mmCIF file of all heavy atoms in Angstrom:
data_model
loop_
_atom_site.group_PDB
_atom_site.id
_atom_site.type_symbol
_atom_site.label_atom_id
_atom_site.label_comp_id
_atom_site.label_asym_id
_atom_site.label_seq_id
_atom_site.Cartn_x
_atom_site.Cartn_y
_atom_site.Cartn_z
ATOM 1 N N ALA A 145 1.097 2.559 -8.568
ATOM 2 C CA ALA A 145 0.967 3.827 -7.845
ATOM 3 C C ALA A 145 1.975 3.944 -6.715
ATOM 4 O O ALA A 145 2.511 5.034 -6.461
ATOM 5 C CB ALA A 145 -0.454 3.941 -7.304
ATOM 6 N N ALA A 146 2.264 2.851 -6.056
ATOM 7 C CA ALA A 146 3.250 2.824 -4.971
ATOM 8 C C ALA A 146 4.662 3.174 -5.551
ATOM 9 O O ALA A 146 5.374 3.977 -4.986
ATOM 10 C CB ALA A 146 3.258 1.498 -4.244
ATOM 11 N N VAL A 147 5.015 2.509 -6.605
ATOM 12 C CA VAL A 147 6.306 2.739 -7.254
ATOM 13 C C VAL A 147 6.335 4.198 -7.785
ATOM 14 O O VAL A 147 7.333 4.880 -7.678
ATOM 15 C CB VAL A 147 6.550 1.766 -8.387
ATOM 16 C CG1 VAL A 147 7.791 2.115 -9.170
ATOM 17 C CG2 VAL A 147 6.690 0.318 -7.802
ATOM 18 N N GLY A 148 5.219 4.618 -8.376
ATOM 19 C CA GLY A 148 5.112 5.961 -8.879
ATOM 20 C C GLY A 148 5.346 7.023 -7.804
ATOM 21 O O GLY A 148 5.923 8.055 -8.069
ATOM 22 N N SER A 149 4.901 6.728 -6.591
ATOM 23 C CA SER A 149 5.100 7.704 -5.513
ATOM 24 C C SER A 149 6.573 7.924 -5.207
ATOM 25 O O SER A 149 6.963 8.955 -4.681
ATOM 26 C CB SER A 149 4.380 7.228 -4.226
ATOM 27 O OG SER A 149 5.031 6.079 -3.644
ATOM 28 N N LEU A 150 7.399 6.924 -5.549
ATOM 29 C CA LEU A 150 8.854 7.079 -5.272
ATOM 30 C C LEU A 150 9.529 8.018 -6.262
ATOM 31 O O LEU A 150 10.645 8.480 -6.024
ATOM 32 C CB LEU A 150 9.519 5.708 -5.368
ATOM 33 C CG LEU A 150 9.149 4.680 -4.307
ATOM 34 C CD1 LEU A 150 9.863 3.365 -4.549
ATOM 35 C CD2 LEU A 150 9.398 5.205 -2.907
ATOM 36 N N LEU A 151 8.889 8.236 -7.388
ATOM 37 C CA LEU A 151 9.453 9.083 -8.416
ATOM 38 C C LEU A 151 9.609 10.551 -7.982
ATOM 39 O O LEU A 151 10.394 11.291 -8.544
ATOM 40 C CB LEU A 151 8.666 9.004 -9.711
ATOM 41 C CG LEU A 151 8.670 7.650 -10.401
ATOM 42 C CD1 LEU A 151 7.752 7.659 -11.620
ATOM 43 C CD2 LEU A 151 10.079 7.238 -10.793
ATOM 44 N N HIS A 152 8.861 10.913 -6.954
ATOM 45 C CA HIS A 152 8.989 12.263 -6.427
ATOM 46 C C HIS A 152 10.013 12.336 -5.315
ATOM 47 O O HIS A 152 10.324 13.410 -4.793
ATOM 48 C CB HIS A 152 7.619 12.746 -5.873
ATOM 49 C CG HIS A 152 6.575 12.876 -6.924
ATOM 50 N ND1 HIS A 152 6.454 14.028 -7.738
ATOM 51 C CD2 HIS A 152 5.628 12.034 -7.378
ATOM 52 C CE1 HIS A 152 5.470 13.841 -8.557
ATOM 53 N NE2 HIS A 152 4.967 12.664 -8.406
ATOM 54 N N HIS A 153 10.563 11.160 -4.914
ATOM 55 C CA HIS A 153 11.503 11.102 -3.800
ATOM 56 C C HIS A 153 12.653 10.190 -4.216
ATOM 57 O O HIS A 153 12.492 8.971 -4.321
ATOM 58 C CB HIS A 153 10.821 10.588 -2.542
ATOM 59 C CG HIS A 153 9.581 11.288 -2.167
ATOM 60 N ND1 HIS A 153 9.600 12.380 -1.290
ATOM 61 C CD2 HIS A 153 8.286 11.118 -2.531
ATOM 62 C CE1 HIS A 153 8.386 12.833 -1.161
ATOM 63 N NE2 HIS A 153 7.577 12.102 -1.852
ATOM 64 N N GLU A 154 13.811 10.749 -4.450
ATOM 65 C CA GLU A 154 14.986 10.006 -4.821
ATOM 66 C C GLU A 154 14.674 9.034 -5.983
ATOM 67 O O GLU A 154 14.856 7.811 -5.822
ATOM 68 C CB GLU A 154 15.508 9.194 -3.626
ATOM 69 C CG GLU A 154 15.843 10.058 -2.423
ATOM 70 C CD GLU A 154 16.340 9.209 -1.244
ATOM 71 O OE1 GLU A 154 17.486 8.760 -1.292
ATOM 72 O OE2 GLU A 154 15.571 9.013 -0.322
ATOM 73 N N PRO A 155 14.315 9.543 -7.124
ATOM 74 C CA PRO A 155 13.867 8.692 -8.233
ATOM 75 C C PRO A 155 14.958 7.809 -8.829
ATOM 76 O O PRO A 155 14.653 6.811 -9.518
ATOM 77 C CB PRO A 155 13.347 9.670 -9.250
ATOM 78 C CG PRO A 155 14.095 10.946 -9.004
ATOM 79 C CD PRO A 155 14.272 10.927 -7.497
ATOM 80 N N TYR A 156 16.237 8.144 -8.614
ATOM 81 C CA TYR A 156 17.319 7.385 -9.195
ATOM 82 C C TYR A 156 17.952 6.379 -8.232
ATOM 83 O O TYR A 156 18.930 5.737 -8.559
ATOM 84 C CB TYR A 156 18.362 8.319 -9.785
ATOM 85 C CG TYR A 156 17.845 9.169 -10.874
ATOM 86 C CD1 TYR A 156 17.588 10.516 -10.663
ATOM 87 C CD2 TYR A 156 17.559 8.655 -12.150
ATOM 88 C CE1 TYR A 156 17.099 11.336 -11.702
ATOM 89 C CE2 TYR A 156 17.020 9.440 -13.163
ATOM 90 C CZ TYR A 156 16.798 10.784 -12.937
ATOM 91 O OH TYR A 156 16.284 11.559 -13.927
ATOM 92 N N SER A 157 17.411 6.302 -7.027
ATOM 93 C CA SER A 157 17.926 5.352 -6.067
ATOM 94 C C SER A 157 16.883 4.346 -5.690
ATOM 95 O O SER A 157 15.712 4.574 -5.751
ATOM 96 C CB SER A 157 18.464 6.127 -4.833
ATOM 97 O OG SER A 157 17.394 6.687 -4.164
ATOM 98 N N MET A 158 17.372 3.193 -5.318
ATOM 99 C CA MET A 158 16.439 2.122 -4.975
ATOM 100 C C MET A 158 17.139 1.211 -4.001
ATOM 101 O O MET A 158 18.366 1.215 -3.852
ATOM 102 C CB MET A 158 16.031 1.341 -6.211
ATOM 103 C CG MET A 158 14.910 0.313 -5.976
ATOM 104 S SD MET A 158 13.440 0.949 -5.122
ATOM 105 C CE MET A 158 12.867 2.131 -6.322
ATOM 106 N N THR A 159 16.363 0.423 -3.295
ATOM 107 C CA THR A 159 16.910 -0.498 -2.293
ATOM 108 C C THR A 159 17.108 -1.890 -2.866
ATOM 109 O O THR A 159 16.768 -2.140 -4.028
ATOM 110 C CB THR A 159 15.996 -0.571 -1.089
ATOM 111 O OG1 THR A 159 16.620 -1.293 -0.056
ATOM 112 C CG2 THR A 159 14.642 -1.196 -1.451
ATOM 113 N N GLY A 160 17.616 -2.798 -2.103
ATOM 114 C CA GLY A 160 17.849 -4.181 -2.588
ATOM 115 C C GLY A 160 16.580 -5.017 -2.503
ATOM 116 O O GLY A 160 15.686 -4.740 -1.761
ATOM 117 N N ALA A 161 16.579 -6.047 -3.309
ATOM 118 C CA ALA A 161 15.446 -6.993 -3.300
ATOM 119 C C ALA A 161 15.632 -7.974 -2.136
ATOM 120 O O ALA A 161 16.707 -8.074 -1.529
ATOM 121 C CB ALA A 161 15.359 -7.711 -4.580
ATOM 122 N N VAL A 162 14.608 -8.769 -1.835
ATOM 123 C CA VAL A 162 14.666 -9.654 -0.710
ATOM 124 C C VAL A 162 15.724 -10.768 -0.892
ATOM 125 O O VAL A 162 16.188 -11.337 0.075
ATOM 126 C CB VAL A 162 13.265 -10.298 -0.445
ATOM 127 C CG1 VAL A 162 12.352 -9.271 0.154
ATOM 128 C CG2 VAL A 162 12.728 -10.949 -1.682
ATOM 129 N N ASP A 163 16.053 -11.055 -2.146
ATOM 130 C CA ASP A 163 17.065 -12.129 -2.357
ATOM 131 C C ASP A 163 18.466 -11.581 -2.355
ATOM 132 O O ASP A 163 19.422 -12.326 -2.658
ATOM 133 C CB ASP A 163 16.746 -12.851 -3.682
ATOM 134 C CG ASP A 163 16.843 -11.924 -4.877
ATOM 135 O OD1 ASP A 163 17.112 -10.708 -4.693
ATOM 136 O OD2 ASP A 163 16.648 -12.368 -6.030
ATOM 137 N N GLY A 164 18.632 -10.319 -2.014
ATOM 138 C CA GLY A 164 19.963 -9.726 -1.889
ATOM 139 C C GLY A 164 20.454 -9.064 -3.156
ATOM 140 O O GLY A 164 21.485 -8.377 -3.112
ATOM 141 N N THR A 165 19.812 -9.223 -4.260
ATOM 142 C CA THR A 165 20.180 -8.575 -5.476
ATOM 143 C C THR A 165 19.777 -7.094 -5.478
ATOM 144 O O THR A 165 18.851 -6.726 -4.792
ATOM 145 C CB THR A 165 19.530 -9.249 -6.691
ATOM 146 O OG1 THR A 165 18.118 -9.158 -6.607
ATOM 147 C CG2 THR A 165 19.937 -10.727 -6.816
ATOM 148 N N GLU A 166 20.496 -6.316 -6.220
ATOM 149 C CA GLU A 166 20.159 -4.874 -6.325
ATOM 150 C C GLU A 166 18.946 -4.678 -7.163
ATOM 151 O O GLU A 166 18.815 -5.208 -8.290
ATOM 152 C CB GLU A 166 21.362 -4.077 -6.923
ATOM 153 C CG GLU A 166 21.111 -2.615 -6.932
ATOM 154 C CD GLU A 166 22.274 -1.835 -7.559
ATOM 155 O OE1 GLU A 166 23.229 -2.491 -7.950
ATOM 156 O OE2 GLU A 166 22.142 -0.614 -7.622
ATOM 157 N N LEU A 167 17.987 -3.942 -6.617
ATOM 158 C CA LEU A 167 16.741 -3.680 -7.342
ATOM 159 C C LEU A 167 16.926 -2.358 -8.074
ATOM 160 O O LEU A 167 17.163 -1.306 -7.466
ATOM 161 C CB LEU A 167 15.561 -3.565 -6.370
ATOM 162 C CG LEU A 167 14.170 -3.353 -6.968
ATOM 163 C CD1 LEU A 167 13.827 -4.527 -7.858
ATOM 164 C CD2 LEU A 167 13.152 -3.223 -5.885
ATOM 165 N N LYS A 168 16.813 -2.390 -9.397
ATOM 166 C CA LYS A 168 17.058 -1.208 -10.201
ATOM 167 C C LYS A 168 15.769 -0.725 -10.825
ATOM 168 O O LYS A 168 14.788 -1.464 -10.992
ATOM 169 C CB LYS A 168 18.061 -1.508 -11.329
ATOM 170 C CG LYS A 168 19.402 -2.012 -10.824
ATOM 171 C CD LYS A 168 20.330 -2.397 -11.967
ATOM 172 C CE LYS A 168 21.675 -2.896 -11.476
ATOM 173 N NZ LYS A 168 22.569 -3.276 -12.587
ATOM 174 N N TRP A 169 15.770 0.598 -11.190
ATOM 175 C CA TRP A 169 14.583 1.148 -11.819
ATOM 176 C C TRP A 169 14.288 0.446 -13.157
ATOM 177 O O TRP A 169 13.137 0.334 -13.548
ATOM 178 C CB TRP A 169 14.769 2.611 -12.043
ATOM 179 C CG TRP A 169 14.376 3.438 -10.860
ATOM 180 C CD1 TRP A 169 15.200 4.130 -10.037
ATOM 181 C CD2 TRP A 169 13.057 3.619 -10.337
ATOM 182 N NE1 TRP A 169 14.493 4.744 -9.025
ATOM 183 C CE2 TRP A 169 13.190 4.471 -9.186
ATOM 184 C CE3 TRP A 169 11.819 3.219 -10.719
ATOM 185 C CZ2 TRP A 169 12.068 4.844 -8.458
ATOM 186 C CZ3 TRP A 169 10.704 3.575 -9.986
ATOM 187 C CH2 TRP A 169 10.837 4.424 -8.873
ATOM 188 N N ALA A 170 15.330 -0.079 -13.776
ATOM 189 C CA ALA A 170 15.101 -0.791 -15.036
ATOM 190 C C ALA A 170 14.249 -2.031 -14.819
ATOM 191 O O ALA A 170 13.392 -2.387 -15.629
ATOM 192 C CB ALA A 170 16.462 -1.227 -15.671
ATOM 193 N N ASP A 171 14.430 -2.673 -13.649
ATOM 194 C CA ASP A 171 13.601 -3.845 -13.329
ATOM 195 C C ASP A 171 12.171 -3.440 -13.153
ATOM 196 O O ASP A 171 11.250 -4.138 -13.569
ATOM 197 C CB ASP A 171 14.135 -4.513 -12.001
ATOM 198 C CG ASP A 171 15.552 -4.919 -12.091
ATOM 199 O OD1 ASP A 171 15.950 -5.416 -13.140
ATOM 200 O OD2 ASP A 171 16.286 -4.761 -11.113
ATOM 201 N N LEU A 172 11.974 -2.303 -12.527
ATOM 202 C CA LEU A 172 10.596 -1.810 -12.223
ATOM 203 C C LEU A 172 9.877 -1.319 -13.484
ATOM 204 O O LEU A 172 8.697 -1.543 -13.674
ATOM 205 C CB LEU A 172 10.618 -0.727 -11.143
ATOM 206 C CG LEU A 172 11.192 -1.180 -9.824
ATOM 207 C CD1 LEU A 172 11.241 -0.033 -8.839
ATOM 208 C CD2 LEU A 172 10.450 -2.339 -9.222
ATOM 209 N N THR A 173 10.672 -0.660 -14.375
ATOM 210 C CA THR A 173 10.026 -0.192 -15.589
ATOM 211 C C THR A 173 9.725 -1.368 -16.512
ATOM 212 O O THR A 173 8.725 -1.359 -17.239
ATOM 213 C CB THR A 173 10.935 0.784 -16.336
ATOM 214 O OG1 THR A 173 12.208 0.213 -16.510
ATOM 215 C CG2 THR A 173 11.037 2.088 -15.557
ATOM 216 N N GLU A 174 10.493 -2.434 -16.402
ATOM 217 C CA GLU A 174 10.197 -3.644 -17.178
ATOM 218 C C GLU A 174 8.884 -4.286 -16.641
ATOM 219 O O GLU A 174 8.099 -4.825 -17.388
ATOM 220 C CB GLU A 174 11.350 -4.627 -17.125
ATOM 221 C CG GLU A 174 11.150 -5.888 -17.955
ATOM 222 C CD GLU A 174 12.350 -6.821 -17.893
ATOM 223 O OE1 GLU A 174 13.427 -6.421 -17.371
ATOM 224 O OE2 GLU A 174 12.181 -7.964 -18.322
ATOM 225 N N LEU A 175 8.736 -4.236 -15.333
ATOM 226 C CA LEU A 175 7.533 -4.831 -14.715
ATOM 227 C C LEU A 175 6.294 -4.026 -15.025
ATOM 228 O O LEU A 175 5.257 -4.594 -15.373
ATOM 229 C CB LEU A 175 7.738 -4.941 -13.216
ATOM 230 C CG LEU A 175 8.497 -6.103 -12.667
ATOM 231 C CD1 LEU A 175 8.724 -5.960 -11.150
ATOM 232 C CD2 LEU A 175 7.795 -7.427 -12.940
ATOM 233 N N PHE A 176 6.387 -2.710 -14.858
ATOM 234 C CA PHE A 176 5.171 -1.860 -14.888
ATOM 235 C C PHE A 176 5.016 -1.122 -16.213
ATOM 236 O O PHE A 176 3.868 -0.725 -16.524
ATOM 237 C CB PHE A 176 5.195 -0.903 -13.701
ATOM 238 C CG PHE A 176 5.124 -1.613 -12.401
ATOM 239 C CD1 PHE A 176 6.274 -1.759 -11.608
ATOM 240 C CD2 PHE A 176 3.943 -2.130 -11.918
ATOM 241 C CE1 PHE A 176 6.185 -2.424 -10.422
ATOM 242 C CE2 PHE A 176 3.880 -2.787 -10.719
ATOM 243 C CZ PHE A 176 5.010 -2.945 -9.944
ATOM 244 N N GLY A 177 6.065 -0.910 -16.937
ATOM 245 C CA GLY A 177 5.972 -0.275 -18.255
ATOM 246 C C GLY A 177 5.189 1.052 -18.261
ATOM 247 O O GLY A 177 5.479 1.939 -17.461
ATOM 248 N N GLU A 178 4.234 1.103 -19.169
ATOM 249 C CA GLU A 178 3.478 2.336 -19.369
ATOM 250 C C GLU A 178 2.668 2.742 -18.142
ATOM 251 O O GLU A 178 2.225 3.898 -18.069
ATOM 252 C CB GLU A 178 2.560 2.211 -20.591
ATOM 253 C CG GLU A 178 3.310 2.225 -21.913
ATOM 254 C CD GLU A 178 4.021 3.550 -22.137
ATOM 255 O OE1 GLU A 178 3.393 4.607 -22.022
ATOM 256 O OE2 GLU A 178 5.226 3.545 -22.479
ATOM 257 N N ALA A 179 2.454 1.813 -17.239
ATOM 258 C CA ALA A 179 1.665 2.161 -16.004
ATOM 259 C C ALA A 179 2.435 3.212 -15.212
ATOM 260 O O ALA A 179 1.762 3.923 -14.387
ATOM 261 C CB ALA A 179 1.436 0.925 -15.171
ATOM 262 N N LEU A 180 3.714 3.324 -15.402
ATOM 263 C CA LEU A 180 4.505 4.328 -14.642
ATOM 264 C C LEU A 180 4.540 5.707 -15.330
ATOM 265 O O LEU A 180 4.969 6.673 -14.751
ATOM 266 C CB LEU A 180 5.943 3.841 -14.436
ATOM 267 C CG LEU A 180 6.150 2.679 -13.459
ATOM 268 C CD1 LEU A 180 7.645 2.380 -13.358
ATOM 269 C CD2 LEU A 180 5.605 2.989 -12.093
ATOM 270 N N ARG A 181 4.110 5.745 -16.594
ATOM 271 C CA ARG A 181 4.203 6.992 -17.362
ATOM 272 C C ARG A 181 3.583 8.180 -16.714
ATOM 273 O O ARG A 181 4.188 9.275 -16.611
ATOM 274 C CB ARG A 181 3.666 6.812 -18.767
ATOM 275 C CG ARG A 181 3.785 8.064 -19.651
ATOM 276 C CD ARG A 181 3.374 7.798 -21.083
ATOM 277 N NE ARG A 181 4.304 6.909 -21.707
ATOM 278 C CZ ARG A 181 5.419 7.290 -22.284
ATOM 279 N NH1 ARG A 181 5.779 8.569 -22.277
ATOM 280 N NH2 ARG A 181 6.243 6.446 -22.868
ATOM 281 N N PRO A 182 2.324 8.076 -16.198
ATOM 282 C CA PRO A 182 1.731 9.292 -15.583
ATOM 283 C C PRO A 182 2.514 9.817 -14.401
ATOM 284 O O PRO A 182 2.654 11.047 -14.182
ATOM 285 C CB PRO A 182 0.316 8.793 -15.104
ATOM 286 C CG PRO A 182 0.079 7.566 -15.928
ATOM 287 C CD PRO A 182 1.378 6.938 -16.188
ATOM 288 N N TYR A 183 3.128 8.902 -13.637
ATOM 289 C CA TYR A 183 3.901 9.299 -12.471
ATOM 290 C C TYR A 183 5.222 9.932 -12.890
ATOM 291 O O TYR A 183 5.742 10.878 -12.296
ATOM 292 C CB TYR A 183 4.110 8.105 -11.547
ATOM 293 C CG TYR A 183 2.842 7.443 -11.155
ATOM 294 C CD1 TYR A 183 2.431 6.284 -11.782
ATOM 295 C CD2 TYR A 183 1.984 7.998 -10.161
ATOM 296 C CE1 TYR A 183 1.212 5.667 -11.426
ATOM 297 C CE2 TYR A 183 0.787 7.399 -9.856
ATOM 298 C CZ TYR A 183 0.412 6.240 -10.464
ATOM 299 O OH TYR A 183 -0.771 5.620 -10.155
ATOM 300 N N ALA A 184 5.837 9.302 -13.941
ATOM 301 C CA ALA A 184 7.096 9.869 -14.441
ATOM 302 C C ALA A 184 6.909 11.216 -15.059
ATOM 303 O O ALA A 184 7.720 12.145 -14.883
ATOM 304 C CB ALA A 184 7.677 8.890 -15.490
#
Side-chain angles (χ1 to χ4, degrees):
V147 172
S149 71
L150 295 179
L151 294 177
H152 295 276
H153 306 270
E154 303 179 75
Y156 297 107
S157 65
M158 188 51 65
T159 187
V162 288
D163 60 1
T165 61
E166 184 181 359
L167 185 62
K168 301 177 181 178
W169 274 110
D171 302 321
L172 299 179
T173 53
E174 183 178 349
L175 278 174
F176 297 102
E178 287 296 310
L180 290 182
R181 180 173 293 276
Y183 306 101

